[in-house]
């Protein structure tokens, strides 16, 4: 029996106490949510920010419907990718002018890895190895392999924790996930970045599971390139555009494999010869999907006045508390957390291993607790500090115990 | 003085007569339009179809806002790219299972050209040349050059009309625009395709300026691969997702340079090894931008019951009539059409060359006639048969004459 279940304070009472003193509690009002569901899948698709419906109605009805073509300039559509990129930069520790929004994460991984390999080979043509972490989200590995194939490199998969040691004189670039999508393990971004640099190589970070969940410090830690999606903790909507970070001093050497006209120095001159733009714009490709992009723009309003340190503190408190409730409610040995107990190694999700996990998650969802299932035996629960309450964590653990009781 | 200005029937009277007998006239009600503006820029951004606002409000408010993650299955989000691709296929002469929607045109050009080069080199490794038409929309040329560079090919620009003759034993693939974006010239898709095939090479067609404007006949003419955008004559909205066609018998050999997880045979198995899906799905990459994609889905409803032969007939009648009105209203020599007079060589736009074209277009727009300007001296007027009236063509020519009178 853990501390949380002392007679002096039940998990439910503790949840109520923690919610009462939560300085971020009021931010939940910035989202469209209901109390029937405990939504712990914001690490897959963030909840709807309250302002998005009105903004999109205006974008469709007025900007497209009435202004039509004029909106490319008058409604700021054309410059939205870099403007929104800067807003993402404010949440990931990147000064303006280094992030551009657009395309999918996969497409951005391709730009980033090819771009990084070219920079590395420009300095040393003998560098012909791309390192990827062995438990990467699949698309990063698939795309890195294509990037390697198309730049004459070999790919080598190693555990993310071993990337620092694995980087060597043949390494061109290492592609690492900041948080493992299954286990929720947070990898050492500053240390790995420094080690890869010491080996003379570049590092590309995938921030899908950290942007909006904790401070990333892209500039502070000297990250070379980074990519990420915006539909998880950034709540940008289904399939919302991803983004690409290229550190300012590397931008002049960024040689994109997808040099679409949106990245041209003077796109409307319609020149036959490609001349890349300066700055983050160089990472653009084709015409951005404006409806999805501007939904993201408004979704980012929920961050006004929010401290990422406070978000991180609440994230850790939520996952700590959820694990405490699971320990209190679920008999020993029925589930096992594969998410690190150490704060320094934990993202903003808890992954529990249990038998028959697919069926268990199905039943949880039927009872209003929405997480997700990942092969082969993982229950994933994402904790979004902007809208998840401690009471939600308590209820999720309690319903989980009931489901597990029923399935044994 | 042309026939149109005979005392017996003024251009305005003829316009009224043609509108009265226009069997497509009622389709204008399927769009949000006003009579203050003559919108002749549907070849850049199509007008808003009437059903889109309600659909997107539902997608945002209910599918995302209430169902959240469940919508990937319950609202059909996951399969939308291939489902919508099939709808585009119905409008371009492709049987189901060959077109997938998603990404930008530029990204799809990259997939198509690299994929085609790989097929060509699989059959004959000596094929190392990519032909592009010399007056291509710039992004096609930029991306084709990157694709060539990354597959060990050289690029050669030749006039689109000469592609057929230029294709030879070294040619891997030819990338051709079906209609020239500046002049509005329609290129010979059946003849060029046959000639490129006779040379043992593959052809990729860019349908940006023909899909929704005229019958394309992808299957009928044996096209290998094709790409196109959906925000022009398909009215999908600003930056609406583009699409990729890979002919069915070529699909097993389609080796995508962007093998993202959405194109995996079993994406949710999250396998470390890439195994491509069969069919059009193989052309997918990352998570689709759902808001933009589903706006396109509803936009395609305007085609219900519409014959593309009727669209083509009206398109030619509109551009004929506009040229007739220009001849009637504008003094000889002030403007010169660079759009072919021959129907077989004309798309659905008219491009007029005149001095000070940028200023002229600015004044036209100020007076409610919206076309666009293309460097260095082109006025572009796009005619969208679904919503453009003959009266619009007459008014546009009349206002153009007034503007030119004022600027001389």
């Amino acid at each position: 029996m853990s501390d949380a279940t002392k007679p002096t304070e039940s998990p439910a009472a503790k949840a109520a106490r923690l919610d009462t003193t939560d300085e971020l509690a009021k931010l939940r009002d910035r989202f469209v949510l209901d109390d029937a569901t405990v939504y712990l899948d914001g690490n897959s698709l963030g909840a709807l920010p309250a302002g998005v419906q009105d903004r999109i109605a205006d974008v469709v009805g007025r900007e497209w419907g009435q202004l039509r073509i004029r909106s490319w300039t008058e409604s700021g559509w054309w410059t939205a990718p870099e403007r929104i990129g800067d807003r993402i930069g404010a949440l990931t520790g990147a000064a303006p002018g280094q992030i551009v929004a657009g395309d999918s994460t996969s497409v951005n991984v391709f730009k980033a890895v090819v771009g990084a390999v070219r920079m590395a080979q420009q300095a040393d043509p003998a560098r012909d190895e791309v390192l990827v972490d062995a438990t990467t989200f699949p698309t990063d590995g698939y795309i890195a392999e294509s990037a390697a194939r198309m730049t004459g490199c070999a790919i080598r998969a190693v555990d993310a924790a071993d990337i620092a040691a694995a980087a060597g004189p043949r390494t061109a670039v290492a592609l690492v996930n900041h948080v493992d999508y299954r286990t929720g393990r947070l990898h050492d971004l500053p240390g790995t970045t420094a080690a890869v640099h010491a080996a003379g190589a570049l590092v590309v970070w995938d921030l899908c599971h950290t942007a909006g969940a904790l401070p990333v410090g892209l500039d502070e830690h000297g990250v070379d390139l980074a990519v990420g999606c915006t539909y998880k903790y950034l709540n940008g909507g289904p399939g919302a555009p991803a983004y690409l970070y290229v550190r300012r001093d590397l931008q002049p050497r960024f040689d994109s494999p997808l040099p679409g006209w949106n990245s041209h120095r003077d796109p409307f001159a319609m020149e036959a010869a490609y001349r890349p733009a300066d700055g983050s714009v160089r990472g653009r490709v084709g015409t951005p999907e404006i409806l999805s992009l501007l939904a993201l723009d408004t979704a980012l309003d929920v961050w006004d006045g929010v401290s990422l340190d406070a978000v991180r503190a609440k994230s850790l408190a939520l996952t700590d508390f959820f694990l405490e409730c699971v320990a209190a409610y679920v008999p020993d040995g029925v589930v096992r957390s594969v998410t690190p107990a150490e704060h320094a190694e934990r993202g903003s999700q808890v992954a529990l291993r249990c038998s028959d996990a697919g069926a268990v998650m199905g039943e949880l969802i039927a009872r209003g607790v929405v997480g997700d299932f990942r092969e082969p035996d993982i229950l994933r629960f994402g904790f979004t500090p902007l809208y998840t309450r401690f009471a939600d964590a308590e209820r999720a653990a309690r319903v989980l115990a009931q489901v597990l009781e029923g399935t044994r």
Side-chain angles (χ1 to χ4, degrees), chain A residues 16-387:
Chain A
R17 176 171 60 78
L18 290 171
D19 280 325
T20 303
T21 56
D22 172 19
E23 63 177 287
L24 302 184
K26 63 187 181 307
L27 297 175
R28 184 173 163 93
D29 295 340
R30 299 185 182 183
F31 293 86
V32 175
L33 288 163
D34 59 83
D35 286 338
T37 303
V38 172
Y39 190 65
L40 300 179
D41 212 7
N43 55 330
S44 189
L45 175 64
L48 171 64
V52 171
Q53 285 176 283
D54 287 348
R55 173 75 184 280
I56 291 303
D58 185 59
V59 169
V60 174
R62 187 181 58 84
E63 294 184 2
W64 173 15
Q66 293 174 29
L67 298 180
R68 289 183 284 266
I69 195 71
R70 291 164 50 191
S71 276
W72 279 108
T73 48
E74 292 178 31
S75 303
W77 289 354
W78 185 262
T79 53
E82 48 268 26
R83 193 174 66 244
I84 294 166
D86 284 347
R87 300 188 71 186
I88 298 167
L91 297 170
T92 52
Q98 301 177 104
I99 292 185
V100 68
D103 303 311
S104 64
T105 305
S106 299
V107 168
N108 282 296
V109 168
F110 189 75
K111 297 178 209 169
V113 175
V114 172
V117 167
R118 286 174 173 174
M119 290 180 205
Q121 293 185 338
Q122 192 182 36
D124 177 0
R127 292 187 179 271
D128 61 357
E129 176 186 77
V130 173
L131 297 177
V132 295
D133 68 277
T135 59
T136 183
F137 185 78
T139 211
D140 298 61
Y142 307 157
I143 294 288
E145 187 157 347
S146 175
R149 167 185 176 189
M150 298 187 81
T151 53
C153 289
I155 198 152
R156 183 156 66 102
V158 296
D159 283 345
D162 301 332
I163 292 274
R170 296 288 291 267
T171 307
V173 55
L175 170 65
V176 201
N177 294 264
H178 198 185
V179 159
D180 186 287
Y181 78 102
R182 282 192 314 136
T183 65
R185 177 179 292 274
L186 175 67
H187 296 127
D188 176 13
L189 183 143
T192 303
T193 300
V196 172
H197 285 174
L202 289 93
V203 63
V204 177
W205 285 95
D206 180 332
L207 309 178
C208 282
H209 287 271
T210 46
L214 50 89
V216 175
L218 286 170
D219 289 349
E220 178 187 354
H221 302 302
V223 168
D224 300 303
L225 296 94
V227 302
C229 74
T230 62
Y231 44 76
K232 300 180 188 293
Y233 299 102
L234 295 178
N235 313 297
Y243 56 90
L244 173 70
Y245 166 86
V246 181
R247 202 180 64 222
R248 192 181 311 281
D249 62 296
L250 298 178
Q251 288 174 347
R253 291 162 55 203
F254 179 63
D255 179 7
S256 176
L258 294 169
W261 74 297
N262 275 224
S263 68
H264 195 280
R265 181 174 293 272
D266 189 3
F268 289 95
M270 307 275 170
E271 297 173 2
Y274 179 69
R275 292 188 298 132
D278 291 333
S280 64
V281 174
R282 190 175 290 201
R284 289 177 64 165
V285 184
T287 305
E289 300 189 29
I290 291 296
L291 304 191
S292 290
L293 186 63
L294 297 185
L296 166 62
D297 190 31
T298 295
L300 294 173
D301 291 350
V302 301
W303 296 94
D304 287 353
V306 175
S307 148
L308 273 160
D309 289 329
V311 166
R312 174 61 167 162
K314 182 176 173 186
S315 162
L316 290 170
L318 278 167
T319 51
D320 274 346
F321 181 63
F322 177 68
L323 287 166
E324 189 178 301
C325 292
V326 169
Y329 289 138
V330 177
D332 282 353
V334 178
V335 299
R336 185 170 63 82
S337 172
V338 295
T339 299
E342 284 291 322
H343 283 181
E345 297 176 4
R346 190 194 302 165
S348 198
Q349 74 181 53
V350 170
L352 302 177
R353 185 160 274 165
C354 80
S355 57
D356 219 8
V360 169
M361 184 50 72
E363 186 58 29
L364 275 170
I365 291 169
R367 298 188 192 191
V369 175
V370 179
D372 59 24
F373 163 67
R374 285 293 176 263
E375 295 281 358
D377 58 359
I378 299 276
L379 303 172
R380 279 202 324 179
F381 301 95
F383 291 85
T384 304
L386 299 191
Y387 57 77

